Amino acid sequence: MDNRVLYERLGGVFAIAAVVDDFIDRVLSSPALNANPLVREAHHRVAPAGFKYLVTEQLCHAAGGPQRYTGRDMKTSHAELRISEDEWQAFLDLLKQSLDKFRVPLREQGEIFAIVQSTQTDIVV
Ligand code: HEM
């Protein structure tokens, strides 16, 4: 059993940033998510690179890395977007596609999903 923190098991910031890069590209071009006009508008207002940077910081921090998350909290940043249950599910499906593409093992996938799921009540209306 590998006892290292999730951050180390994932391969640190370079590996995590690569997954986030792929995942955010999927999110930004997702017809299911862009069908929500508030999400589509906000997605085109923020620069993809900055969005990827903040999500990478956040995931690294949550996984036990040395990074500190400097963005807004999830409730504040998603409050105006009116994200539905179906949109949440579409988001999780895209995350699964990225994790599978990078061959992230199932144990680590489970821990990443637990981190993401912990934000659901702040994000879904
Ligand atoms: C269906 C699910 C989601 C959608 C459609 C979505 C969409 C968006 C959009 C459009 C923004 C830009 C808001 C703005 O600047 O006005 C944003 C910000 C952000 N989202 Fe999400 N999001 C979702 C879930 C998540 C999850 C699960 C996380 C992480 C656990 C996350 C992390 C972030 C971060 C870090 C920001 C930037 C916060 C800041 O501006 O400081 N999002 N999201």
Side-chain angles (χ1 to χ4, degrees):
M1 172 87 164
D2 187 343
N3 289 325
R4 293 175 302 159
V5 293
L6 177 61
Y7 177 80
E8 299 295 343
R9 281 181 278 126
L10 289 172
V13 66
F14 291 99
I16 292 171
V19 174
V20 171
D21 183 37
D22 180 87
F23 172 53
I24 297 301
D25 282 344
R26 290 176 199 268
V27 168
L28 293 178
S29 63
S30 160
L33 295 179
N34 282 315
N36 174 335
L38 298 168
V39 169
R40 188 178 63 238
E41 195 274 323
H43 273 161
H44 292 99
R45 199 176 53 225
V46 298
F51 196 36
K52 289 172 182 179
Y53 168 76
L54 286 173
V55 174
T56 300
E57 255 188 3
Q58 188 189 32
L59 185 56
C60 286
H61 171 81
Q67 293 79 6
R68 190 171 63 88
Y69 174 60
T70 57
R72 298 179 294 164
D73 67 72
M74 293 298 96
K75 211 174 186 120
T76 306
S77 54
H78 298 85
E80 310 297 324
L81 301 176
R82 315 230 22 104
I83 293 170
S84 69
E85 273 296 338
D86 284 353
E87 287 157 0
W88 179 256
Q89 198 50 56
F91 179 91
L92 294 182
D93 290 347
L94 296 173
L95 178 57
K96 175 73 179 153
Q97 287 171 25
S98 288
L99 296 175
D100 285 345
K101 175 179 169 184
F102 285 87
R103 301 189 194 288
V104 175
L106 288 181
R107 174 186 172 206
E108 282 72 25
Q109 289 201 17
E111 292 173 57
I112 291 169
F113 276 109
I115 290 169
V116 171
Q117 289 287 6
S118 73
T119 66
Q120 181 177 3
T121 52
D122 284 339
I123 290 177
V124 176
V125 290

